[in-house]
Amino acid sequence: SFLYQCHVVSNLMYFLSFFLDYGFLPVASLGINYGQVGSNLPPPDKVLDLLSSLKITKAKIYDTNPQILTTFANSNVELIVTVENQMLAVVMDPQQALQWVTTHIKPYFPATKITEISVGNEVFTDDDTSLIGYLVPAMVSIHGALVQLGLDKYIHVSTPNSLAILQESYPPSAGSFKSQVSATMSQYLQFLANTGSPFWINAYPYFAYKGAPNNVSLDYVLLNKNPGMVDPYTKLHYDNMLYAQVDAVVYAMFRLGYSGIEVRVSETGWPSKGDPDETGATPANAAVYNRNLLRRQMRNEGTPLRPNTKLEVYLFALFNEDMKPGPTSERNYGLFQPDGTIAYNVGLSALSTTSSTSSSSSSASIFLTSSADKAAKTGYQSLVYWMFVYLLAFQVLLRQH
């Protein structure tokens, strides 16, 4: 049996060294937006299987769909849920907020890992301008309800913002908020500072390219290798627009007197299809953008202004959603078609779908081939080394007994 155990160890070492040699690193902590504006989307249990096979452990939904919250119980997926915009006027009232949290959150937590409640979506730039006045009181009431129920230590309260809240975004150090939102923005930032919650931004370099394809470098927006730009005031070098957009938000917060709030990306992505006037909306560009983004996520990168803070990013989106209004691009941000097939080859070494002959179920795995990821690879080598030491010690103990 000792020889058998050695054989097992040997096979395990071979398996691990194969993964090291070929640089396959699973994308372990990628957030993704799970939108549901489709007529043909798979049921939540199939979605959970897909997320698990992709090793995705963070997802955001745009409501508190009880079927999703029930299905995701006892999984390893952390969920951000949303109070819909039309509910803000209601949950401003502390009693209504308590009722909302008691009904929509408490029955599912902690079995379902709800980590945050988004109060509204892109409220500052919504066509209904009355929503701005509701936002902060609604957030305060929702947070108050969490405090009352003893959940505030586990669940943050924030809201995702469109980049259209910025008056200036170039260069990043000129970042400032539009004057018409600055009063409410100050109250919002004070709330985030008081509760230790992040500032979320929906950032789409694609829009900048689509708006001025002759003036914006495609490599710069796709996170490809390019000369980039240097902020003339800070001398910081930016090699992609996404990081520049995030830092512009940080500077806008500085201007209102807030310096310690973390900025995270609640949505970013690239459409694989668009109308004739939607320049750049192609499967090839979508694949490059998402591949480069994932590669940077694997490196735990921060922005030039905050290099030591890993930028948390939620990819938009999991599925193409056929019922979304607007231009063709709006319905084509998904990594997957609703039937679970890949919308385009994201360019990762294996976004592989394997089918069982006995059932129609399929699983997909994202692995990242990155010879440049020396730090991560060193970590894996270290893991293999200590696993080997541990297993060797285990064998010695077995022999002694």
Side-chain angles (χ1 to χ4, degrees):
S1 71
F2 176 68
L3 284 175
Y4 171 75
Q5 288 157 357
C6 284
H7 180 66
V8 170
V9 172
S10 155
N11 281 348
L12 180 62
M13 294 301 296
Y14 175 79
F15 175 77
L16 288 168
S17 66
F18 174 85
F19 270 70
L20 276 173
D21 291 343
Y22 289 92
F24 291 101
L25 303 175
V27 179
S29 62
L30 173 71
I32 199 155
N33 287 275
Y34 168 19
Q36 303 153 59
V37 191
S39 63
N40 49 2
L41 297 179
D45 60 324
K46 299 293 185 196
V47 175
L48 183 59
D49 289 344
L50 179 61
L51 293 177
S52 300
S53 65
L54 291 169
K55 313 250 187 302
I56 290 175
T57 58
K58 296 179 180 181
K60 186 180 91 185
I61 59 175
Y62 294 86
D63 55 15
T64 50
N65 183 320
Q67 200 187 349
I68 293 173
L69 294 182
T70 303
T71 302
F72 279 51
N74 306 309
S75 73
N76 69 337
V77 178
E78 297 178 1
L79 269 184
I80 296 175
V81 301
T82 304
V83 181
E84 296 96 325
N85 285 5
Q86 63 268 26
M87 284 297 294
L88 298 193
V90 177
V91 298
M92 281 172 66
D93 178 294
Q95 281 308 113
Q96 292 288 347
L98 181 60
Q99 177 66 38
W100 189 91
V101 173
T102 303
T103 307
H104 293 84
I105 304 296
K106 195 168 184 293
Y108 307 100
F109 184 88
T112 302
K113 295 179 182 173
I114 300 167
T115 57
E116 187 163 315
I117 298 170
S118 286
V119 178
N121 186 51
E122 298 193 342
V123 170
F124 282 102
T125 50
D126 197 273
D127 291 338
D128 181 355
T129 53
S130 65
L131 290 178
I132 295 181
Y134 305 150
L135 178 64
V136 176
M139 294 176 79
V140 169
S141 292
I142 291 286
H143 180 257
L146 291 171
V147 171
Q148 210 170 322
L149 296 168
L151 302 178
D152 57 301
K153 296 180 206 64
Y154 313 102
I155 302 173
H156 280 124
V157 176
S158 190
T159 192
N161 298 285
S162 158
L163 262 184
I165 54 172
L166 295 180
Q167 182 68 47
E168 296 290 340
S169 62
Y170 182 87
S173 61
S176 62
F177 293 116
K178 288 180 174 170
S179 56
Q180 58 265 42
V181 304
S182 59
T184 305
M185 185 61 71
S186 292
Q187 297 167 21
Y188 168 56
L189 293 173
Q190 186 63 58
F191 173 85
L192 297 183
N194 291 346
T195 58
S197 301
F199 189 109
W200 290 97
I201 192 81
N202 294 342
Y204 288 92
Y206 162 71
F207 292 143
Y209 180 74
K210 183 186 90 165
N214 297 324
N215 300 331
V216 177
S217 158
L218 184 59
D219 285 330
Y220 183 65
V221 291
L222 288 178
L223 302 96
N224 274 334
K225 192 169 183 181
N226 70 94
M229 59 83 69
V230 174
D231 188 308
Y233 303 103
T234 63
K235 306 304 179 194
L236 292 174
H237 177 258
Y238 290 85
D239 67 356
N240 72 83
M241 185 177 282
L242 180 66
Y243 290 4
Q245 290 175 333
V246 169
D247 281 356
V249 173
V250 177
Y251 280 108
M253 290 195 292
F254 285 167
R255 283 190 161 72
L256 291 181
Y258 295 88
S259 59
I261 297 169
E262 183 184 348
V263 178
R264 298 178 182 173
V265 178
S266 37
E267 289 181 15
T268 192
W270 196 283
S272 59
K273 190 175 175 184
D275 294 320
D277 63 338
E278 295 190 289
T279 308
T282 66
N285 286 343
V288 169
Y289 184 81
N290 288 322
R291 178 179 69 235
N292 286 339
L293 186 64
L294 293 171
R295 182 169 284 147
R296 286 168 183 268
Q297 287 302 99
M298 285 299 302
R299 295 202 292 253
N300 294 330
E301 281 192 359
T303 64
L305 185 59
R306 291 177 168 173
N308 298 321
T309 302
K310 179 189 173 183
L311 180 63
E312 187 160 324
V313 174
Y314 278 63
L315 195 63
F316 189 86
L318 187 57
F319 296 111
N320 285 337
E321 298 168 72
D322 67 344
M323 291 169 63
K324 292 194 81 173
T328 297
S329 62
E330 283 295 308
R331 294 175 288 285
N332 289 280
Y333 274 90
L335 288 181
F336 291 89
Q337 303 287 7
D339 65 1
T341 58
I342 297 164
Y344 53 87
N345 186 352
V346 78
L348 300 175
S349 63
L351 227 166
S352 59
T353 305
T354 54
S355 297
S356 159
T357 50
S358 59
S359 75
S360 59
S361 68
S362 67
S363 67
S365 305
I366 295 183
F367 290 98
L368 174 64
T369 306
S370 174
S371 56
D373 244 326
K374 289 178 184 167
K377 190 166 178 177
T378 303
Y380 269 69
Q381 286 167 333
S382 174
L383 174 69
V384 171
Y385 171 77
W386 285 111
M387 190 175 285
F388 179 74
V389 169
Y390 173 79
L391 288 166
L392 207 58
F394 182 67
Q395 300 301 337
V396 171
L397 282 171
L398 278 176
R399 290 192 76 176
Q400 287 174 347
H401 292 286

